Amino acid sequence: MANILVVEDEFDINRLICKNLTLIGHKCKSAYDGIEALKIINDEKPELIILDVMLPGLTGFELIEYAGNIPVIFVTARAGLEDKLKGLRLGADDYIVKPFEMQELLARVSTVLRRVKRENTVFSFDDITIDFDKRFVCRDGVEIKLTPKEYDLLETLILNRNIALTRDRLLNLVWNIDFEGDTRTVDIHIQQLRKKLGIKNRIVSLYKIGYRFEL
Ligand code: CA
């Protein structure tokens, strides 16, 4: 897990991002203006910066110049293509436009961290190991064969670990179904995952809500 700096002058958004990153195991620092962020970047060398563009002190576009090789994800209300291109040209690893879904931010954080920290491609818990690059799951070195959707569901649960996911949310994230779909599909796949992985107590059923992967 990574030390992440969240630079965002809107207090509630900053706290919400930090809360969610902490829930999945990251360590978070908040900065509410560009000057404060610059000090933390220099003193603490975070492993990833989530960076707003419009900030008091220094803008995100100015601040990224000081980030060196620390990966940056811009989170901004500036949706224009020109701003997006500018952000990416300045070296940002990703660019998210507000308002955004927290799950999308978490997924993008994981992707960027995986890209820069190769060791993070492998995730282990109990006696299970998952190689995200190879989409390979094994127990004590023996492959557990999952269908593509079972694998996608497992990865989604892990990337959002300790966070409650509704069945509709899982349908959206795993099956790309945006309307109220047949949520029994989710239940059936969860049952299969529990059976194949032998991790009944890790995937917790939340009455009338959905599921949470607990670690
Ligand atoms: Ca702002």
Side-chain angles (χ1 to χ4, degrees), residues 39-99:
K39 189 171 181 330
I40 296 173
I41 290 169
N42 287 332
D43 292 353
E44 304 185 25
K45 299 268 174 285
E47 294 167 272
L48 172 70
I49 306 170
I50 294 173
L51 188 54
D52 187 17
V53 174
M54 301 301 284
L55 286 164
L58 289 167
T59 70
F61 287 155
E62 290 168 324
L63 206 50
I64 193 173
E65 308 276 354
Y66 299 93
N69 49 17
I70 303 169
V72 168
I73 299 175
F74 276 121
V75 177
T76 173
R78 293 168 66 145
L81 179 63
E82 210 146 287
D83 277 332
K84 185 170 181 174
L85 290 176
K86 183 174 180 192
L88 295 173
R89 207 164 46 232
L90 287 170
D93 290 78
D94 211 336
Y95 196 103
I96 300 175
V97 175
K98 293 180 202 166

Side-chain angles (χ1 to χ4, degrees), residues 7 37 44 46 54 65-66 69 84 97 107 120 124 135 138 140 142 149 183-184 188-189 206 212 214:
V7 190
E44 304 185 25
M54 301 301 284
E65 308 276 354
Y66 299 93
N69 49 17
K84 185 170 181 174
V97 175
N120 265 13
S124 295
R135 293 172 64 92
C138 65
D140 292 332
V142 180
K149 282 299 170 211
T183 54
R184 275 175 308 175
I188 290 163
H189 281 76
L206 305 167
R212 182 175 58 226
E214 286 191 349

Side-chain angles (χ1 to χ4, degrees), residues 2-16:
N3 291 310
I4 300 176
L5 171 63
V6 179
V7 190
E8 164 67 72
D9 58 324
E10 284 169 66
F11 185 81
D12 290 343
I13 297 179
N14 196 320
R15 296 311 295 266
L16 188 66

Side-chain angles (χ1 to χ4, degrees), residues 6 16 42 45 47 59 71 89 103 112 118 121-122 125 134 142 145 157-158 165 173-175 209 214:
V6 179
L16 188 66
N42 287 332
K45 299 268 174 285
E47 294 167 272
T59 70
R89 207 164 46 232
Q103 263 88 9
V112 169
R118 300 311 293 168
T121 58
V122 173
F125 63 94
K134 295 181 186 152
V142 180
K145 286 202 189 305
L157 288 167
I158 289 172
L165 295 169
L173 288 169
V174 178
W175 284 267
I209 298 172
E214 286 191 349

